[in-house]
Structure formats: structure tokens, C-alpha cells
Amino acid sequence: MFNLILFGPPGSGKGTQSDRLVEKYGLVHLSTGNLLRSEIAEKTPLGIEAKNFIDKGQLVPDEVVIGMIDNSLEQHRDAKGFLFDGFPRTANQAKALDKLLELKRTTIHNVLALEVSEEELVKRLLERGKTSGRSDDTDEAVIRNRFSVYQNETAPVADHYKAQHKFKAIPGEGSVEEISAALSEQIDKTLDRQQQEAFE
Ligand code: ADP
């Protein structure tokens, strides 16, 4: 199995790059943002609760998103691997994910972090807000709040994976193709290593 976390602040391009990587490597894409938005669209109790947090730029409670990920892992028992996008977003979520994967006798192999300046991020998010219909992308105050949540709660997730020697930063400014190539280079290294180990 090969499991990847695509890490980075709101607007860093995780969604765009995820689409390309799941296609190229045959991974199952697990985006907590997308899962939450579909719960909201279907007006489920979970969606209705989550919307209150999302509209303010706050995080949805850990137990809610961890439960969603647990369900998704169960639904795709025969997956070749998973690409986690927008999860884990807190140190608690990271610890919970480690445990869930351990139960499935697997682990996270790579954490690739897209690095983009805050100025560029705000520009991209406001631009996306014009067409995405996402209420959290139209208000600059909500966007700024998401950055401060990212700094305070999500940045520590990087340390969790640095300690496991799985973390690698990738420049997230440039063309979509250049960034995909840089991500693929890291993934290919890990896959080559996995193959070698399988022969040893
Ligand atoms: P972005 O990366 O642009 O902020 P996402 O689609 O990943 O967009 O997330 C949108 C919102 O959904 C977040 O601001 C947050 O409120 C909620 N959310 C998504 N993933 C998580 C998560 N793992 N934990 C808590 N809240 C989450």
C-alpha cells in the first residue's frame, strides 16, 4: 500500500494536485473538505452541524472528521492506497490516523507540504470564491481566520510527521505541471524504495 498526505494551507493547491495524483497512482482521494461539503449539500445532521464551523473559518470537531475518515477507510478496504487531503488538520487527528492505519497494518508513507506565500494564498482564495460557490472563500475575514487556525492548530501536524522522517516541503508556486512533477518525484522515490524492499 502507499498512503500519502498532501499538506498545506488553504489555497495551496491540494485539491488541484490531488486530482492529478489519484489519477496517476490509482489512489483513493479522501478530502475531508469535500466529504463535509457533500454532507452539507445533502443536509444531513452532520452537515448541518459542520456548516456552522466552516462558515466561520473554524475547524469541525476532531471526532466528527475522524469518524468520517474511519468510515471511508472501511468503505475502501481493497484500495491500493489513500491520498489524504485536508486531513489530518490537528495533532489529535494525526494521532488518530496513525492508530486507524496501524489497525489496518499500514502507515503513512509520505507527507508532502505545498509551500505558498500568504499574499498569493489570499489572492487565490478570493479568486476561487468568485466561482466556487464556497461561502468560506468570499469573505477576507473568514480567510484570515482560516490562516490563523492553520498556524495554531494545523502547523503542529508537520512536527508530528517530521519526527517520523516522513515530511517534505515542496514549492507550491509555479505551473500546475511543475508542482505535479516535484510531487511525483518524491512519490516515485518512495515507491522505488518499497519495490526494492519487497525484493530483499
Ligand atoms: P481549504 O483547504 O481551502 O480550507 P477544505 O475544503 O480542506 O478547504 O476545508 C474547508 C473547511 O472544512 C475548513 O475550513 C474546516 O472548517 C473544514 N474542515 C475540512 N477538513 C477538516 C478537518 N480535517 N478537521 C476539521 N475541519 C475540517
Side-chain angles (χ1 to χ4, degrees), residues 49-89:
E49 189 201 347
K51 190 173 186 324
N52 292 322
F53 295 97
I54 292 178
D55 284 350
K56 291 185 214 136
Q58 295 170 358
L59 293 182
V60 172
D62 283 342
E63 56 278 19
V64 174
V65 287
I66 293 165
M68 276 189 343
I69 289 289
D70 192 6
N71 286 337
S72 303
L73 292 175
E74 279 300 305
Q75 276 167 23
H76 299 278
R77 280 164 173 267
D78 48 2
K80 277 169 61 179
F82 293 93
L83 190 166
F84 298 92
D85 160 8
F87 180 90
R89 244 177 167 95

Side-chain angles (χ1 to χ4, degrees), residues 8-11 14 31-34 36-37 50 53-54 57-62 65 85-90 93 125 128 134 136-137 146:
K14 299 186 298 288
S31 156
T32 40
N34 290 350
L36 289 166
R37 280 185 290 277
F53 295 97
I54 292 178
Q58 295 170 358
L59 293 182
V60 172
D62 283 342
V65 287
D85 160 8
F87 180 90
R89 244 177 167 95
T90 63
Q93 291 179 20
L125 290 170
R128 182 169 82 184
R134 278 182 55 173
D136 58 345
D137 282 346
R146 281 154 67 201

Side-chain angles (χ1 to χ4, degrees), residues 2 24-25 110 112 180-195:
F2 173 73
K24 179 164 180 188
Y25 295 101
N110 277 348
L112 302 177
S180 294
L183 293 168
S184 289
E185 194 184 319
Q186 294 304 319
I187 296 170
D188 291 341
K189 269 191 205 164
T190 304
L191 292 175
D192 286 349
R193 209 179 316 124
Q194 280 189 347
Q195 275 216 321

